[in-house]
C-alpha cells in the first residue's frame, strides 16, 4: 500500500513540474506561481530571493515581457525522493530555450532543487526552489584537485542529462 501511495504521489509531483513547464511556455505568471505555496521561497539563478507567490508572479511577468520573452523550458528530473510523507525533494536540470532552439546549449543548464509539499486538500505545490547555473569548467578543475569536491563521480556521470 505504501509503495502505491508513493507512486501516486511521485506522479502528482511530476505532473506539477510538467505544469510549471507548461505555464512557462504560455508566459502565464499567475499559473506559474500557482504551482507554488503562498509563502514559497524561490531563488533565481542570479541569486535573487523571491519571497511568496506575489513576488513570483511579478518577477516572471516582468521576465516574460523582457529577457525571457517567447522562451520555453527544458526540464529533466534527476531524482525525486520523499523526505516525509507529505514532503518531496526534486533535483533536476533545466534550461531556458530561446526561440528556434530545441535543445539546450551546455552552458545553459542549471541544477535545480524543488521542495514539494502536500497541501491540506491533498494537492502538491512547491514551497521552495533553488536554481544554480552549472559551472562545468570549475567543476572539472575541482574534480582534478580532489574528486570529493564533486561528489566523487566520474566526469561522464556529472555531465549526463
Amino acid at each position: 500500500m505504501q509503495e502505491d501511495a508513493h507512486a501516486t504521489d511521485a506522479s502528482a509531483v511530476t505532473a506539477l513540474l510538467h505544469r510549471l513547464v507548461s505555464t512557462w511556455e504560455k508566459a502565464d505568471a499567475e499559473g506559474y506561481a500557482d504551482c507554488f505555496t503562498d509563502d514559497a521561497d524561490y531563488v533565481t539563478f542570479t541569486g535573487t530571493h523571491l519571497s511568496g507567490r506575489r513576488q513570483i508572479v511579478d518577477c516572471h511577468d516582468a521576465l516574460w515581457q523582457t529577457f525571457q520573452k517567447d522562451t520555453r523550458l527544458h526540464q529533466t528530473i534527476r531524482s525525486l525522493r520523499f523526505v516525509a510523507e507529505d514532503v518531496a525533494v526534486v533535483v533536476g536540470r533545466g534550461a531556458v530555450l530561446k526561440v528556434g532552439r530545441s535543445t539546450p546549449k551546455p552552458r545553459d543548464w542549471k541544477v535545480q532543487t524543488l521542495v514539494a509539499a502536500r497541501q491540506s486538500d491533498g494537492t502538491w505545490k512547491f514551497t521552495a526552489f533553488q536554481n544554480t547555473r552549472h559551472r562545468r569548467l570549475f567543476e572539472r578543475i575541482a574534480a582534478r584537485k580532489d574528486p570529493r569536491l564533486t561528489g566523487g563521480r566520474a566526469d561522464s556521470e556529472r555531465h549526463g542529462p
Side-chain angles (χ1 to χ4, degrees), residues 133-144:
R133 176 167 274 164
H134 191 177
R135 304 287 186 182
R136 291 174 184 257
L137 175 61
F138 296 121
E139 187 177 58
R140 286 185 182 121
I141 292 168
R144 286 187 186 125

Side-chain angles (χ1 to χ4, degrees), residues 16 35-42 50 52 56 86-88 114-119 124-129:
L16 179 62
C35 295
F36 294 88
T37 60
D38 288 339
D39 63 347
D41 289 295
Y42 189 108
L50 306 175
I56 295 170
D86 295 332
V87 180
L114 298 103
V115 178
R118 188 190 325 264
Q119 304 304 288
W124 288 86
K125 290 201 176 193
F126 294 120
T127 192
F129 175 78

